[in-house]
Amino acid sequence: MDRETFLAKKVFFLHPHSVIQQELVRELVSYEYAVYLVSDHKKFRSVVKEFSEPIVFINIDDEMDAEGWNDYISDMMESEDNSAMIGVLTYNEDKELAKTYLMDLMIPCGYIKLKLGLEQSRQIILKTLEVNEARGRRRYLRIDCWKFQNTELNVIIDGKLHSGKIKDISSVGMAFVLDEEVPLQKHMMLTDIQLKLKGKIARVSGPVMGSRETPQHSIHVMLFDKTITDDTKAKIYGFIYETLQEEIKLLMTG
């Protein structure tokens, strides 16, 4: 199994319907999927080639007519450097159109009729992601925070307030660096940590699982304990979602 498969597959929604943007995508992030929204199908063709076996759900109701999307998806699937697995999202119930995509183009990730209702569409998309092993072998989606501003923390250690920078974070833990070097022993409990996630404040606690020395600083790893609240988890997932969208915007404009 290659590294990309181990880490996970990227999931893209191209020109997503409003119901997808507003109600479904953030929920998919809480299921630990790396989900991105894209609104430029022309630039997307060159960007998507950078990823190994990404899953792409395409809204064929907007931007182009049926023939245009047929040609676009055909060209994409027939390209020698394409590894994307494509699914279609639509309100169109035309059986012949469905046959074109499923039987003629043989798109691997389904022809999803949104008129079935959001809940049923959600289940179909989740099943598609599961079948195609979109999470790889990892259980939790981890986001690299190092290059982003305003991802900081404050923590009280032995009665003294210390500040630091979050290196990466998931729904179950994080890696961080303190501005002032402080030795943290394995299994040491950090009981009062304030996270600053792009302006949103969240509080966590938990044990230190280990530290790694680099020439620049010590990187500490901790797990969040069971005191983490649903509100805090929602803030972390919201931060992950926003960070994913920021990443794809940088790629699309680069």
Side-chain angles (χ1 to χ4, degrees):
M1 181 177 289
D2 64 24
R3 187 170 182 271
E4 284 289 334
T5 303
F6 178 81
L7 290 177
K9 297 171 184 176
K10 308 298 184 183
V11 182
F12 296 94
F13 286 85
L14 182 57
H15 295 299
H17 297 81
S18 59
V19 68
I20 299 295
Q21 294 186 53
Q22 295 166 9
E23 300 187 45
L24 185 60
V25 173
R26 288 176 181 269
E27 186 178 357
L28 292 178
V29 172
S30 73
Y31 280 93
E32 310 292 342
Y33 291 112
V35 179
Y36 303 87
L37 305 181
V38 179
S39 59
D40 188 330
H41 57 277
K42 294 179 181 178
K43 287 185 178 179
F44 182 64
R45 282 293 303 275
S46 59
V47 170
V48 75
K49 295 175 184 178
E50 302 298 319
F51 302 98
S52 174
E53 297 186 349
I55 296 173
V56 182
F57 292 104
I58 300 176
N59 167 16
I60 60 169
D61 294 341
D62 295 323
E63 298 299 321
M64 290 189 286
D65 60 17
E67 184 178 357
W69 278 121
N70 191 317
D71 291 343
Y72 180 90
I73 294 172
S74 295
D75 290 345
M76 190 170 174
M77 292 183 65
E78 292 171 5
S79 174
E80 290 184 0
D81 55 3
N82 171 68
S83 67
M85 297 178 288
I86 296 172
V88 163
L89 295 168
T90 180
Y91 283 105
N92 195 326
E93 295 186 330
D94 185 335
K95 293 182 179 179
E96 285 301 313
L97 186 63
K99 178 179 176 295
T100 296
Y101 283 105
L102 294 173
M103 305 302 291
D104 300 337
L105 295 181
M106 292 189 292
I107 55 172
C109 291
Y111 184 93
I112 301 170
K113 300 175 184 178
L114 293 174
K115 281 189 177 179
L116 292 171
L118 182 63
E119 175 61 24
Q120 197 166 347
S121 298
R122 180 177 72 88
Q123 292 299 330
I124 293 170
I125 291 171
L126 283 171
K127 186 64 177 178
T128 300
L129 296 177
E130 180 182 348
V131 167
N132 287 283
E133 299 182 325
R135 275 196 293 256
R137 284 172 54 191
R138 60 144 177 81
R139 293 178 62 190
Y140 302 103
L141 178 59
R142 186 176 66 208
I143 293 296
D144 184 354
C145 309
W146 203 245
K147 57 183 175 293
F148 295 105
Q149 299 296 319
N150 201 16
T151 53
E152 302 166 343
L153 63 90
N154 293 316
V155 56
I156 295 177
I157 303 172
D158 295 330
K160 183 180 178 181
L161 180 65
H162 294 270
S163 58
K165 178 92 168 88
I166 302 170
K167 183 181 182 296
D168 57 61
I169 192 168
S170 73
S171 63
V172 296
M174 68 177 178
F176 63 95
V177 172
L178 295 174
D179 295 339
E180 180 183 344
E181 290 289 343
V182 180
L184 300 181
Q185 301 302 316
K186 189 173 182 179
H187 303 310
M188 176 181 180
M189 284 295 298
L190 301 177
T191 58
D192 191 4
I193 305 175
Q194 181 191 69
L195 307 181
K196 298 179 181 178
L197 304 173
K198 292 187 176 179
K200 292 184 175 64
I201 304 298
R203 291 189 178 277
V204 295
S205 59
V208 174
M209 302 307 295
S211 301
R212 177 167 60 87
E213 301 299 324
T214 73
Q216 294 79 27
H217 38 237
S218 300
I219 300 174
H220 308 289
V221 177
M222 69 166 291
L223 292 180
F224 304 141
D225 62 19
K226 293 181 180 180
T227 64
I228 188 170
T229 64
D230 290 342
D231 180 64
T232 292
K233 276 200 170 184
K235 288 177 180 177
I236 292 172
Y237 281 128
F239 168 75
I240 290 173
Y241 168 80
E242 292 172 9
T243 302
L244 291 172
Q245 306 325 307
E246 191 170 339
E247 286 180 351
I248 194 61
K249 283 180 182 177
L250 290 173
L251 282 175
M252 293 290 290
T253 57

